[in-house]
Amino acid sequence: QVQLAESGGGLVQPGASLRLSCVASGGTFSGNGVGWFRQSPAKEREFVAGINQSGSSNIANAAKGRFAISRDRAKNTVYLQMNNLNPDDTGVYYCGTCPRCIWSSLPSARYYDSWGQGTQVTVSS
């Protein structure tokens, strides 16, 4: 099974940007959709952004216009570019793989079969 590792989180001021990376090892993202979810103590795990195997992205309404997801197949890496961050974006960000995931299924965590350890994003003024 593929192992995932997230990185790129940190402590930033409101309005700042971060770029998160999700690297796959022991396998590839081939044939899989990949999604980003976040978890905070005050909130349930929520979908942030996903990309299917054909490259179409699905962005959560709370992130639309600010976040973008992309993939580099050669590097087995998926990125989450986050711009204009606000305190509500604070949380632990996880990436996961979604086998044979259609575009409309990307926001549903039940379809994901592997997750990374997460990377902390803190947005505080």
Side-chain angles (χ1 to χ4, degrees):
Q1 188 73 274
V2 63
Q3 292 84 49
L4 306 177
E6 304 93 337
S7 63
L11 173 63
V12 297
Q13 295 283 116
S17 297
L18 285 172
R19 186 196 191 199
L20 307 184
S21 298
C22 174
V23 180
S25 61
T28 71
F29 292 122
S30 298
N32 294 324
V34 180
W36 287 92
F37 291 73
R38 64 191 180 193
Q39 182 79 56
S40 68
K43 299 179 181 180
E44 297 181 341
R45 179 177 55 180
E46 65 175 343
F47 171 74
V48 179
I51 186 168
N52 68 10
Q53 65 183 67
S54 66
S56 297
S57 62
N58 191 330
I59 310 297
N61 288 334
K64 198 167 298 182
R66 300 187 299 123
F67 293 7
I69 187 170
S70 62
R71 74 196 312 164
D72 186 331
R73 296 182 184 273
K75 295 181 178 180
N76 290 322
T77 302
V78 171
Y79 303 97
L80 180 67
Q81 178 66 47
M82 305 187 296
N83 299 322
N84 195 23
L85 289 161
N86 61 65
D88 289 337
D89 296 317
T90 294
V92 180
Y93 283 67
Y94 300 90
C95 67
T97 54
C98 185
R100 302 177 65 184
C101 202
I102 63 174
W103 183 89
S104 60
S105 295
L106 287 168
S108 299
R110 67 177 64 190
Y111 298 118
Y112 290 73
D113 66 350
S114 186
W115 299 91
Q117 81 288 346
T119 184
Q120 177 71 45
V121 172
T122 303
V123 185
S124 180
S125 60

